[in-house]
Amino acid sequence: MKQYPSNSKEVAIIGAGLVGCLAALNLAKLGYLVTIFEYRSDPRTIQDHQNLRSINLAISERGIAALQNIDLDLSKRILDQIVPMKGRLIHSAPNSSRSITYAQNYGVNGIECINSIDRNLLNIKLLNEIDTVPTIFAQFNRKLVNLIFPNEDQNDNANPILYFQSTTNQDSSSQNNILKRHDNFNFLIGADGSYSTTRSLLQKHIRMDFKQEYIDMAYLELFISSNPTHNTDSNSRFKLDKNYLHIWPRENFMLIALPNYDGSFTSTFFAPWHIMNSLNSNEEIISFFQTNFPDVLNSNLISQESLLNFFNSNPKSSLICTICNPYNYKGKCLLIGDAAHSMVPFYGQGMNCGFEDVRILSNLIIKNQFDIHDAFEEYTESRHRDLISILQLAKDNYKEMSSNVNSSIHLLSKRLDNGLSKILGDYWLPLYTMVSFRSDISYSQAIKINKRQYRILSTLQLSLLSFSVYFALKYSKPLLNFFNKK
Ligand code: FAD
């Protein structure tokens, strides 16, 4: 049993997902006594990992910087099984005029990488770190069900009162399921995901703007197993090139695959609901994949049998965007991660942004000399514009992934963008670089810089086009005359 020192402030964190765990580690480092409450069971005790969301994530600079902000060695331990991906490998549509596969690097120099990591593994590694910190106490099977701020108008110092219900099977039918009351926490952090209970409860106390939107897109998880080989060469375990995020873009639907450390790939099929729902017989599923992704079936990346198995047993999930404002109630409660902002996954930034929330909060607590009220107020004040920026970028990036990657004009302007960056260095940074590889540039700054660069790039492209037309007109007539005379 962990023993707490008795003189520090106590914090409750709701949700032991990725962001809640990181927040626990960071606040403990700042000297707080942390209790983290999780609705589900400890994932380390669950035998059947099929029941967990096993989607893998791309962690990039903002997420890594937040881990390093806690401790460099911790970040190395957490990230020791990542698979770096230096770009996208596009798998063309059948009968396309392009080559079957072609690569597009993420960075200007071709060496910048985002990194694939299994979500469950990352969560488990963070929980293992929590176990080593004597001032963090994790309580599983505890669901936040009520939150009261006593004497709201008169007493700013009163602790919030939290009520939890047990979610274990044994407890649910017995007296143990009765609400557990806690009033020992000085403040709480809501990191309980897109459908946050903390957020709903907070809305009763503050005039919170809140918006939620389901986009017309469903996703289904598939799996590409590793090569059944005894070869010790680690590369041969992968059926696809492991250094890329693989995309099969097909305009309004797509398939992606991210490498796992063990040689397998986690693949996700994204499609509008009417397409997803139309694939409801084995014949339709096979015929759809045979028509649109023949290489996946023909080269046995996924066997027909496995494909049908995935379609018939894995959930078809929806994609939700949420945003709220403000994120805090005085110095008593703050929302972070998906509880405050959930975005579509097309920029690979949801968790990275949640991790960045933790780093920014930690810096504000230090800046405000541990005055939590001021730190929370400044957080809400300064963070909102960045959060709405990344939500918009994430939405826009669906078009980039599913169709722009195929467009010659788009690719040409990308080349120009990268070329200028190579020449001008930090004076010219492509948007993707600013978002994924630069934690020192905020999301809103990235959009602002990109708008300015876009105007310059458009003028440059227009000038190039005008010059080409001018020279074509000027020299084509004499040339035509010359050939006509001959
Ligand atoms: P969650 O992971 O949802 O964790 C919340 C936790 O709170 C859960 O454990 C839940 O059980 C618990 N909880 C809920 N209610 C209560 C309660 N009442 N009491 C106690 N506990 C409670 N992000 C990236 O950065 N890169 C990617 O490549 C990427 N890819 C993605 C692909 C897909 C298909 C999807 C859907 C998302 C992707 N994301 C990605 C986003 C990323 O998964 C989320 O942003 C991230 O998991 C958010 O973490 P969180 O801790 O805020 O919330």
Side-chain angles (χ1 to χ4, degrees):
M1 185 68 136
K2 292 182 184 182
Q3 292 292 319
Y4 284 166
S6 57
N7 53 352
S8 303
K9 289 206 162 179
E10 291 201 38
V11 185
I13 294 179
I14 315 302
L18 304 175
V19 176
C21 286
L22 194 77
L25 290 164
N26 210 147
L27 288 170
K29 191 194 164 201
L30 293 181
Y32 292 98
L33 302 177
V34 181
T35 306
I36 184 163
F37 294 93
E38 169 55 46
Y39 161 71
R40 289 180 292 191
S41 309
D42 185 338
R44 294 166 296 184
T45 62
I46 298 173
Q47 298 298 321
D48 182 7
H49 278 248
Q50 289 293 85
N51 288 329
L52 299 172
R53 286 165 78 191
S54 62
I55 283 181
N56 45 6
L57 305 163
I59 184 163
S60 51
E61 178 51 30
R62 286 171 206 270
I64 296 171
L67 287 167
Q68 290 174 341
N69 188 50
I70 300 178
D71 179 10
L72 272 182
D73 286 337
L74 172 139
S75 87
K76 280 187 197 144
R77 286 193 297 275
I78 300 276
L79 301 175
D80 67 353
Q81 291 187 22
I82 53 174
V83 185
M85 302 177 290
K86 63 180 175 186
R88 303 172 177 132
L89 197 80
I90 314 297
H91 297 252
S92 301
N95 309 323
S96 149
S97 55
R98 290 185 166 276
S99 61
I100 299 165
T101 56
Y102 55 98
Q104 291 173 5
N105 288 338
Y106 284 128
V108 174
N109 303 307
I111 48 167
E112 302 88 336
C113 291
I114 60 172
N115 308 284
S116 177
I117 184 162
D118 179 85
R119 170 199 288 278
N120 297 323
L121 181 70
L122 181 56
N123 209 171
I124 285 171
K125 277 172 172 272
L126 287 165
L127 287 167
N128 288 344
E129 291 293 331
I130 282 178
D131 281 351
T132 67
V133 182
T135 51
I136 311 178
F137 184 56
Q139 290 211 13
F140 293 94
N141 302 303
R142 289 287 173 272
K143 180 183 181 184
L144 178 79
V145 287
N146 204 1
L147 172 60
I148 291 170
F149 297 103
N151 311 323
E152 272 180 50
D153 299 326
Q154 305 121 39
N155 188 357
D156 250 12
N157 291 324
N159 285 347
I161 304 172
L162 284 67
Y163 290 91
F164 291 90
Q165 219 162 31
S166 170
T167 54
T168 53
N169 287 339
Q170 306 104 289
D171 288 353
S172 56
S173 56
S174 74
Q175 287 295 305
N176 291 335
N177 189 34
I178 290 173
L179 300 183
K180 290 240 165 44
R181 180 182 186 276
H182 295 262
D183 61 7
N184 53 316
F185 298 110
N186 297 88
F187 62 90
L188 75 145
I189 303 284
D192 45 350
S194 303
Y195 300 95
S196 168
T197 307
T198 318
R199 186 184 61 224
S200 315
L201 294 169
L202 203 56
Q203 282 170 339
K204 293 180 187 160
H205 298 274
I206 50 175
R207 294 191 308 277
M208 179 193 282
D209 290 332
F210 171 66
K211 198 173 154 204
Q212 104 173 19
E213 180 190 358
Y214 282 98
I215 65 158
D216 179 24
M217 188 64 58
Y219 70 91
L220 175 90
E221 198 186 308
L222 314 170
F223 186 73
I224 299 172
S225 57
S226 57
N227 255 333
T229 168
H230 296 293
N231 195 326
T232 46
D233 169 13
S234 63
N235 280 341
S236 67
R237 286 180 296 143
F238 294 85
K239 287 183 181 167
L240 294 163
D241 191 327
K242 73 174 165 96
N243 298 120
Y244 291 99
L245 189 157
H246 294 261
I247 311 185
W248 289 257
R250 302 292 183 262
E251 292 285 336
N252 56 354
F253 55 89
M254 67 174 170
L255 188 70
I256 65 167
L258 277 79
N260 293 316
Y261 191 69
D262 65 359
S264 62
F265 285 79
T266 306
S267 169
T268 314
F269 172 56
F270 292 95
W273 276 103
H274 73 273
I275 295 186
M276 190 68 92
N277 287 337
S278 71
L279 302 175
N280 46 24
S281 74
N282 289 354
E283 294 70 34
E284 276 160 332
I285 296 165
I286 299 293
S287 147
F288 182 87
F289 266 67
Q290 205 55 270
T291 310
N292 296 293
F293 312 113
D295 52 329
V296 172
L297 291 179
N298 298 344
S299 52
N300 218 20
L301 291 178
I302 302 175
S303 68
Q304 291 197 6
E305 191 192 349
S306 305
L307 183 69
L308 294 177
N309 200 11
F310 297 138
F311 263 84
N312 294 326
S313 50
N314 287 355
K316 289 157 191 153
S317 308
S318 47
L319 291 174
I320 190 171
C321 307
T322 62
I323 187 74
C324 61
N325 190 35
Y327 303 100
N328 69 307
Y329 172 70
K330 300 182 182 171
K332 299 291 158 202
C333 181
L334 181 77
L335 300 172
I336 57 172
D338 276 15
H341 49 77
S342 38
M343 63 194 78
V344 290
F346 306 120
Y347 225 117
Q349 282 295 309
M351 171 202 57
N352 284 291
C353 176
F355 277 16
E356 189 176 68
D357 292 348
V358 175
R359 180 175 65 82
I360 285 175
L361 173 64
S362 159
N363 291 347
L364 286 176
I365 291 176
I366 294 168
K367 183 184 162 207
N368 286 282
Q369 298 177 341
F370 290 77
D371 181 324
I372 292 298
H373 180 278
D374 289 358
F376 282 8
E377 290 288 319
E378 191 174 342
Y379 180 93
T380 280
E381 179 69 24
S382 59
R383 190 75 176 133
H384 187 56
R385 72 182 87 94
D386 289 327
L387 297 178
I388 47 178
S389 300
I390 185 58
L391 255 76
Q392 192 55 48
L393 285 175
K395 257 190 192 173
D396 295 346
N397 218 44
Y398 179 70
K399 193 156 181 279
E400 161 98 10
M401 284 177 84
S402 63
S403 60
N404 282 356
V405 287
N406 275 330
S407 141
S408 307
I409 297 174
H410 179 77
L411 294 180
L412 195 70
S413 80
K414 275 233 147 236
R415 267 197 206 122
L416 209 55
D417 203 17
N418 283 348
L420 284 169
S421 185
K422 270 193 181 151
I423 299 164
L424 300 172
D426 268 9
Y427 293 103
W428 188 283
L429 291 167
L431 181 62
Y432 194 89
T433 298
M434 290 188 277
V435 171
S436 300
F437 303 126
R438 294 291 295 261
S439 56
D440 57 331
I441 301 176
S442 71
Y443 292 121
S444 58
Q445 270 175 308
I447 289 194
K448 204 167 148 198
I449 296 170
N450 186 57
K451 275 189 182 151
R452 180 169 46 82
Q453 291 179 172
Y454 179 79
R455 280 197 297 273
I456 300 172
L457 204 63
S458 305
T459 316
L460 211 64
Q461 281 171 318
L462 199 69
S463 313
L464 278 175
L465 193 72
S466 314
F467 273 123
S468 317
V469 173
Y470 171 78
F471 281 111
L473 288 175
K474 187 167 176 191
Y475 293 110
S476 62
K477 214 167 171 194
L479 273 177
L480 279 176
N481 288 343
F482 173 77
F483 283 117
N484 282 345
K485 273 182 203 158
K486 279 202 150 189

